[in-house]
């Protein structure tokens, strides 16, 4: 199969806004899906500096783009420039997918549902036990909302700045029946803290460049505990490497990337995403060079 997408007067453009953007693997995944479904779409990356975000959003209308994905640092900032939001985007206060509906821009957030879908693919249910989220930024919000909606019994948010974790607890404590708690970073070194943990998620950027992760009492977790890093690298992150060395199950962010991308594909096209095609394309794009 040709890897090139024919460009013609019928071609529609989808893209991704970010800064930086050169590292994104989404074009490989989405363009493979468009080819497989024989859609006249092409997905391209756009380097959008923060000061240019408002102009970039206007360009979606001006150039009649089908829509865009949104990545750092724009997920929260883009909200005020859109016409309507999904309930999930409103809850998260962030958008990762924009759909152009005849000039009206609709914002959704597929990150949390993509995260849940990746867990379901692994055979993990949020009902299985206590969950620990490390970090209190935008990624944590999307994961937290999805886990609460998924019926998690108890979630503890651990963050360097305890006040930020406490703010998330206050914001989302009435969203569902989940018991929410906040904890300071030093709790990660307490073996008793992980006694009932079924899932531990790194929602921070620590380890992206191979730097050491924070001290964590990995050995105190149950052998059935799953460690999930929202980051992804060609090799294991330092967070997952330590868990793997103790024979704990691990996942990185590539499955979340796949499933959130599949949801975005369906929002733009109205069609079911060719998940296996996208998965293979993503695996090729993530191979070490």
């Amino acid at each position: 199969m040709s890897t090139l997408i024919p460009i013609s007067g019928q071609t529609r453009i989808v893209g991704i806004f970010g800064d930086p953007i050169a590292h994104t693997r989404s074009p490989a995944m989405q363009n493979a899906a468009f080819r497989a479904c024989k859609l006249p779409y092409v997905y391209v990356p756009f380097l959008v500096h923060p000061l240019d975000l408002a102009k970039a959003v206007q360009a979606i209308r001006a150039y009649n783009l089908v829509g865009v994905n949104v990545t750092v640092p724009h997920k929260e900032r883009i909200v005020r420039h859109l016409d309507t939001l999904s309930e999930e985007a409103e809850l998260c206060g962030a958008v990762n997918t924009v759909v152009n509906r005849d000039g009206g821009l609709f914002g959704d957030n597929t990150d949390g549902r993509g995260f849940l879908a990746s867990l379901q693919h692994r055979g993990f249910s949020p009902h299985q036990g206590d969950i620990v989220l490390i970090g209190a930024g935008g990624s944590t919000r999307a994961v937290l909302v999805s886990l609460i909606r998924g019926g998690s019994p108890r979630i503890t948010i651990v963050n360097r700045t305890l006040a930020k974790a406490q703010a998330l607890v206050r914001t989302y404590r009435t969203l569902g029946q989940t018991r929410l708690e906040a904890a300071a970073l030093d709790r990660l070194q307490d073996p008793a803290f992980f006694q009932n943990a079924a899932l531990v998620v790194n929602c921070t950027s620590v380890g992206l460049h191979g730097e050491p992760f924070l001290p964590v009492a990995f050995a105190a977790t149950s052998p059935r505990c799953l460690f999930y890093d929202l980051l992804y690298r060609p090799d294991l992150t330092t967070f997952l490497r330590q868990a793997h060395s103790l024979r704990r199950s691990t996942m990185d962010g590539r499955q979340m990337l796949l499933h959130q991308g599949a949801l975005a594909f369906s929002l733009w096209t109205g069609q079911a995403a060719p998940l296996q095609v996208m998965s293979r394309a993503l695996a090729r794009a993530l191979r070490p060079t």
Side-chain angles (χ1 to χ4, degrees):
M1 180 189 293
S2 171
T3 59
L4 298 177
I5 296 178
I7 303 297
S8 72
Q10 304 297 316
T11 301
R12 304 293 308 282
I13 297 175
V14 190
I16 180 169
F17 289 176
D19 182 14
I21 200 62
H23 66 286
T24 182
R25 300 299 193 270
S26 292
M29 179 173 66
Q30 297 290 359
N31 283 322
F34 294 147
R35 284 194 300 271
C37 294
K38 296 181 170 55
L39 292 170
Y41 290 9
V42 62
Y43 186 105
V44 295
F46 294 101
L47 175 62
V48 177
H49 300 300
L51 291 178
D52 295 326
L53 180 60
K55 291 185 288 186
V57 172
Q58 287 301 319
I60 299 174
R61 297 185 179 93
Y63 295 126
N64 195 30
L65 306 188
V66 173
V68 295
N69 278 141
V70 185
T71 188
V72 292
H74 304 310
K75 289 185 179 183
E76 296 176 4
R77 299 171 186 172
I78 200 171
V79 167
R80 64 180 179 271
H81 300 293
L82 304 177
D83 300 308
T84 57
L85 299 177
S86 69
E87 181 185 5
E88 192 156 353
E90 288 185 344
L91 284 170
C92 297
V95 162
N96 81 327
T97 303
V98 177
V99 184
N100 183 356
R101 295 177 171 174
D102 297 321
L105 300 185
F106 168 76
D108 198 356
N109 194 316
T110 66
D111 282 335
R113 287 177 313 223
F115 174 76
L116 271 190
S118 71
L119 288 177
Q120 291 165 358
H121 180 76
R122 187 61 173 264
F124 181 93
S125 167
H127 297 274
Q128 286 180 216
D130 293 356
I131 296 174
V132 176
L133 304 182
I134 304 173
S139 296
T140 306
R141 286 176 176 264
V143 168
L144 180 60
V145 167
S146 70
L147 289 171
I148 293 172
R149 288 181 149 187
S152 300
R154 181 182 178 190
I155 301 173
T156 303
I157 305 163
V158 183
N159 195 58
R160 187 181 303 278
T161 306
L162 180 58
K164 290 185 177 180
Q166 292 170 331
L168 289 184
V169 170
R170 288 193 298 271
T171 298
Y172 296 109
R173 67 176 11 140
T174 60
L175 181 59
Q177 302 302 311
T178 303
R179 179 181 172 185
L180 297 182
E181 298 180 2
L185 211 58
D186 58 4
R187 292 295 305 281
L188 294 176
Q189 301 178 59
D190 179 5
F193 180 66
F194 291 102
Q195 184 175 359
N196 298 312
L199 173 66
V200 182
V201 186
N202 174 36
C203 303
T204 77
S205 61
V206 178
L208 177 61
H209 304 292
E211 66 272 22
F213 198 73
L214 312 164
V216 175
F218 288 95
T221 60
S222 162
R224 295 181 298 277
C225 185
L226 172 62
F227 285 82
Y228 196 131
D229 199 329
L230 299 189
L231 303 175
Y232 56 90
R233 292 165 47 92
D235 55 351
L236 288 176
T237 63
T238 49
F239 173 72
L240 295 184
R241 195 178 305 137
Q242 293 178 74
H244 182 73
S245 70
L246 293 167
R247 298 185 178 180
R248 302 300 190 264
S249 297
T250 61
M251 289 183 68
D252 68 12
R254 68 189 71 196
Q255 282 296 314
M256 178 176 171
L257 176 66
L258 169 66
H259 287 282
Q260 66 79 27
L263 291 165
F265 175 94
S266 295
L267 285 170
W268 294 320
T269 66
Q271 298 186 20
L275 199 62
Q276 292 304 314
V277 169
M278 298 175 79
S279 179
R280 289 193 295 268
L282 182 59
R284 288 193 297 269
L286 286 170
R287 286 174 188 160
T289 54

